[in-house]
Structures are given as C-alpha cells and as structure tokens.
Amino acid sequence: DAKTTQPNSMESNEEEPVHLPCNHSTISGTDYIHWYRQLPSQGPEYVIHGLTSNVNNRMASLAIAEDRKSSTLILHRATLRDAAVYYCILTPNTGNQFYFGTGTSLTVIP
Amino acid sequence: ETGVTQSPTHLIKTRGQQVTLRCSSQSGHNTVSWYQQALGQGPQFIFQYYREEENGRGNFPPRFSGLQFPNYSSELNVNALELDDSALYLCASSLEWTDYGYTFGSGTRLTVV
C-alpha cells in the first residue's frame, strides 16, 4: 500500500479557506487519491477522490499536482463543523480497501 | 436510507473471552468492510466482504473472523481477546466493492480488561 505524508495538525480561522497538503511521492499511475474526514466520536466520512484532474464537489476541492506526487484538499470557507481529522489515502483502481495514516487534525478558530 | 448501524456502542470484555460485533449496512449496499482504530491512530483495515464472501484481508490474525449475511448485514468475531484489542471497531458499507464512497458507522468501542 502506497504511503502518504500529512502534517499532524493545522489551524484555520473560521470563514477562511483551508489548504490541507498531502505528499505521495511513491504513487503509481493507477492509484486513486481519496480524502476522508473523521469528526469527534464519529466514523470517517467521505470527502472527495480523484485520479489526475482536479475535482470539485459540494464539500471541497481536490487539487492534484501535475506529477501526481502531491495533492491538496481545499475547504473554501472553514466552519466550526469542519474541525476534524482529515485523511489522505491512496488506493489502486481494483478496490476500496483503504489504508489510513494518522491524518491531519484541523482546528478551526472562531 | 438509514445509514450504517453498529451494535453495541460500547462493550467491556475480559482477556481471553470472545466477542461478536454487529453491523447493519446501508440499504442497497452489498460490500462491508471492518476497521480497527486504536486511540490516536487512523483506522486499520481488517477485512472486507462482498456478497457474503471474504474479498480481502488486512494484517490481522485468524482469531479475527467475519460473516456477511444474505441481507448484507455483517458480524466481526474476535476470539481469545488480548488487551491490545481494545479499540474502536468501525464498519463501513459501499454499493459495490469497487465503489469508493464508503459509508461508515459510528463504531463499537471495545475495552478488554
């Protein structure tokens, strides 16, 4: 399972954009990049995923570097409800068995 | 759509005992995966079931076993409990085993004493 590296923690002010980085220098050509988040006392929640092109959905945007060795999850306007641990995960295109790391703990300051 | 339901929410067992954890998948989902999450760590993949057959297994010993039923509900069984088995056990279901959009339950907190 390919490895990802994320900062342990980040802080953001409420209503400002947040950019959560993820490095995955050993990514293979067929690995998908996924982001899940885990709010306190809950199971992880799907945020977004992509392969090569940037992706947008109602929750966030995913910006993928041209060489695919890194990606950034963008929350356009952080709210207090976005305080969570954010996980960046790689999977091959043959299934959905995820290998989570320790993630980035995001604190949102009012 | 009722989401993923896990039971019980909390459980205390003694070392050496056996435990069964239950998961009711989201309606229409035929794939279920189980994860173990120790305090302060990310979830670790235990195994996955697709249409009642095991479809992949992580690095867990055989005393961790599972079942998926025809209605796609699922059980995780752990025999000969060890203190290190204390963790949050998460169940996640997806529409198909190739679907990346997991729906996770809130987990069962198991404490082994």
Side-chain angles (χ1 to χ4, degrees):
Chain A
D1 41 302
K3 209 165 161 52
T4 61
T5 304
Q6 300 177 251
N8 287 334
S9 62
M10 291 184 64
E11 283 185 355
S12 173
N13 293 319
E14 195 177 9
E15 298 189 7
E16 291 193 356
V18 184
H19 291 231
L20 296 163
C22 181
N23 287 319
H24 29 79
S25 58
T26 59
I27 191 171
S28 77
T30 54
D31 283 343
Y32 278 77
I33 302 159
H34 308 262
W35 285 82
Y36 274 74
R37 72 180 186 180
Q38 188 170 21
L39 280 66
S41 303
Q42 294 188 28
E45 174 188 33
Y46 169 81
V47 178
I48 202 166
H49 78 278
L51 183 62
T52 55
S53 306
N54 295 343
V55 184
N56 301 296
N57 67 21
R58 63 172 182 82
M59 288 182 71
S61 295
L62 175 60
I64 300 172
E66 199 169 330
D67 64 5
R68 301 208 328 124
K69 293 183 186 300
S70 66
S71 60
T72 303
L73 179 71
I74 302 165
L75 306 179
H76 296 286
R77 249 176 108 245
T79 70
L80 297 179
R81 286 174 294 180
D82 291 323
V85 177
Y86 287 78
Y87 296 99
C88 169
I89 308 159
L90 302 183
T91 61
N93 63 351
T94 53
N96 61 3
Q97 297 161 8
F98 293 143
Y99 291 86
F100 291 76
T102 51
T104 296
S105 179
L106 175 66
T107 300
V108 180
I109 302 165
Chain B
E1 232 180 62
T2 56
V4 174
T5 306
Q6 292 188 243
S7 62
T9 53
H10 295 83
L11 198 53
I12 300 174
K13 288 288 196 177
T14 303
R15 190 171 48 182
Q17 284 188 314
Q18 178 265 344
V19 69
T20 298
L21 309 181
R22 293 181 173 83
C23 172
S24 178
S25 301
Q26 183 163 323
S27 176
H29 286 192
N30 62 25
T31 303
V32 65
S33 301
W34 285 90
Y35 287 80
Q36 179 195 66
Q37 186 172 24
L39 213 55
Q41 302 295 315
Q44 301 299 305
F45 174 70
I46 303 175
F47 44 58
Q48 181 180 81
Y49 279 81
Y50 169 66
R51 295 183 183 272
E52 302 177 60
E53 297 285 331
E54 188 176 290
N55 188 43
R57 189 178 182 93
N59 189 25
F60 280 81
R63 59 189 186 86
F64 285 79
S65 63
L67 275 177
Q68 187 182 29
F69 299 101
N71 66 355
Y72 301 137
S73 66
S74 174
E75 283 182 357
L76 164 66
N77 298 291
V78 187
N79 292 324
L81 284 167
E82 301 177 0
L83 297 179
D84 283 350
D85 296 333
S86 295
L88 181 68
Y89 288 85
L90 294 160
C91 166
S93 71
S94 57
L95 201 57
E96 289 287 336
W97 71 275
T98 51
D99 179 15
Y100 293 129
Y102 268 144
T103 301
F104 278 84
S106 296
T108 294
R109 171 72 63 190
L110 172 65
T111 303
V112 182
V113 298

